[in-house]
Amino acid sequence: MSSHDESRFGADVYGARLERAAELTRAARLDALLITPGPDLQYLIGSRAQSHERLTCLVVPASGETPSVVIPKLELAALGPSAVAELGLRIVDWVDGVDPHALVKSILNAGARTAVDDNMPALHVLPITDRLGTLPVSATPVLRELRMLKDPSEIDALRRAGAAIDRVHARMGEFLRAGRTEAEVAADITAAIIAEGHTRAAFVIVGSGPHGADPHHEVSDRVIEDGDVVVVDIGGPVEPGYFSDSTRTYVLGEPSEEIAEQFAVLERAQAAAVAAVRPGVTAESVDAAARDLLAAAELAEYFVHRTGHGIGLSVHEEPYIVAGNDLVLEEGMAFSIEPGIYFAGEWGARIEDIVVVTADGCESVNKRPHGLTRL
Ligand code: ZN
Ligand code: ZN
Ligand code: ZN
């Protein structure tokens, strides 16, 4: 028996996923899935291989036959020896000078109907399309059900990620002070994200004062001032690759009465959306729960993005918690609830937790207090 490897689930997990993926491919009336390095490949075989101009591609036949991996000889180690050995994948290796896209065709038949992962670069999609003579479709709708419904070991990973990022927020007083730049604060947060158990920091947003009004501001050399409201949105992956993503809003000193009042509405909106989550309701109804509450306080126009996004091996994945998405929520789905209010040129605020749908509601993997935290 090999020793416990926390970077992967057991071979049985990936074997079952590959079988289910083949079934779903068959149900979608396709002949094969073609998956290049990225979250879908990590989901199906646990491999962290990186995407390159040289083609690495998992071919999952709908027939249920053994999946193949077309791979440059020099990338075999990066694929993960355990992935290959444990799963009994058929290796079709190639060296420079060989046409790897033709190798994909040799595994399938001309005219095969395929689905490709959304991260496959055009430099592979186009030649594969040419060799097969058929236009692939997206694998995301095929794998949607599989990727969206987290099993207990995935939920456990999301809980560990949530606890790790909570520990970073708990230490914010060490990092965030007037007189420091956003970049200095972010460098300390980055180190803390790793120290608290992530393999890396995937994103660190420190939006102080007017920068808080830009939802995707990252960091700058702006010096944080007394009285600033500061949006801190941070996350990264924990083994085996599941992401944390949590936002809290801080204030240096005392907030004005207006800021405190508007923030209190945001806090209620975030809680209302969390309270709306349970199996059987639509994604858009959860978005509406937050939006309606802000609208009642005439703040809806300052909430300029969707309420949330799914999370797992990708930071942003299905289900999206957004107007127009009538997807019905099911137990095991995991996503963010992150309403925000943004006053251009002035200040902004956001509160973000990751929740997992349970039998009768949801569990938040983030446990830090939601209020405007005074530092
Ligand atoms: Zn985002
Ligand atoms: Zn976030
Ligand atoms: Zn998020």
Side-chain angles (χ1 to χ4, degrees):
M1 282 300 296
S2 62
S3 63
H4 177 69
D5 175 1
E6 68 172 14
S7 72
R8 303 174 49 77
F9 293 126
D12 51 329
V13 170
Y14 299 109
R17 288 176 181 177
L18 283 167
E19 249 174 60
R20 190 80 185 104
E23 280 170 29
L24 292 167
T25 306
R26 210 150 55 230
R29 302 179 159 281
L30 296 164
D31 297 312
L33 285 181
L34 304 179
I35 308 293
T36 46
D40 285 332
L41 190 71
Q42 198 175 345
Y43 183 82
L44 290 172
I45 65 171
S47 167
R48 313 291 175 89
Q50 300 288 311
S51 186
H52 290 291
E53 80 286 3
R54 292 187 174 102
L55 178 72
T56 293
C57 182
L58 172 71
V59 181
V60 183
S63 62
E65 285 163 63
T66 305
S68 302
V69 186
V70 174
I71 185 165
K73 239 185 176 53
L74 56 85
E75 293 290 332
L76 269 171
L79 180 68
S82 44
V84 175
E86 290 170 359
L87 299 172
L89 302 172
R90 195 162 71 90
I91 296 298
V92 181
D93 56 7
W94 61 277
V95 293
D96 291 345
V98 169
D99 175 0
H101 306 101
L103 290 177
V104 172
K105 182 192 160 185
S106 74
I107 295 167
L108 304 169
N109 296 307
R113 292 155 304 170
T114 61
V116 301
D117 72 272
D118 283 342
N119 294 289
M120 188 186 286
L123 71 91
H124 296 314
V125 176
L126 297 174
I128 285 174
T129 303
D130 175 72
R131 304 304 180 271
L132 290 174
T134 48
L135 192 63
V137 297
S138 168
T140 294
V142 181
L143 295 176
R144 174 188 283 144
E145 191 184 319
L146 258 183
R147 292 270 316 266
M148 271 197 312
L149 298 178
K150 268 69 183 180
D151 70 26
S153 53
E154 294 180 284
I155 293 169
D156 175 61
L158 288 167
R159 281 194 195 111
R160 286 187 286 107
I165 208 68
D166 279 2
R167 291 194 295 273
V168 179
H169 274 296
R171 293 176 56 190
M172 205 53 62
E174 293 174 39
F175 319 129
L176 187 53
R177 285 190 302 276
R180 306 193 77 199
T181 67
E182 292 175 354
E184 287 167 346
V185 173
D188 288 349
I189 292 173
T190 299
I193 287 174
I194 296 163
E196 297 297 346
H198 298 82
T199 50
R200 65 187 169 89
F203 53 93
V204 176
I205 296 176
V206 179
S208 67
H211 288 167
D214 171 7
H216 268 173
H217 170 80
E218 291 188 359
V219 295
S220 74
D221 289 327
R222 182 180 184 277
V223 176
I224 296 164
E225 295 169 16
D226 222 28
D228 277 354
V229 174
V230 186
V231 177
V232 179
D233 185 352
I234 52 180
V238 302
E239 294 291 16
Y242 287 75
F243 279 85
S244 65
D245 182 7
S246 175
T247 310
R248 290 294 183 267
T249 303
Y250 299 87
V251 62
L252 297 163
E254 279 302 306
S256 70
E257 205 169 299
E258 188 186 31
I259 287 175
E261 275 171 17
Q262 289 173 328
F263 189 90
V265 177
L266 177 66
E267 202 178 333
R268 290 202 300 277
Q270 202 269 346
V274 171
V277 176
R278 60 184 169 280
V281 306
T282 62
E284 65 182 348
S285 72
V286 174
D287 180 81
R291 213 165 290 280
D292 291 351
L293 214 137
L294 288 165
E298 294 183 344
L299 291 172
E301 69 181 287
Y302 304 103
F303 177 24
V304 295
H305 54 71
R306 64 190 175 215
T307 291
H309 54 82
I311 191 164
L313 290 169
S314 313
V315 186
H316 290 179
E317 62 183 44
E318 299 205 44
Y320 291 99
I321 309 302
V322 62
N325 186 3
D326 61 4
L327 177 87
V328 174
L329 299 182
E330 292 178 52
E331 189 174 354
M333 289 180 178
F335 46 83
S336 69
I337 300 285
E338 54 175 307
I341 45 176
Y342 308 96
F343 304 93
E346 296 176 41
W347 67 286
R350 180 163 66 256
I351 304 168
E352 175 179 24
D353 286 337
I354 302 303
V355 301
V356 180
V357 183
T358 59
D360 57 358
C362 70
E363 168 194 338
S364 176
V365 304
N366 301 108
K367 319 282 188 194
R368 295 288 305 157
H370 295 104
L372 187 56
T373 303
R374 288 152 177 79
L375 293 178

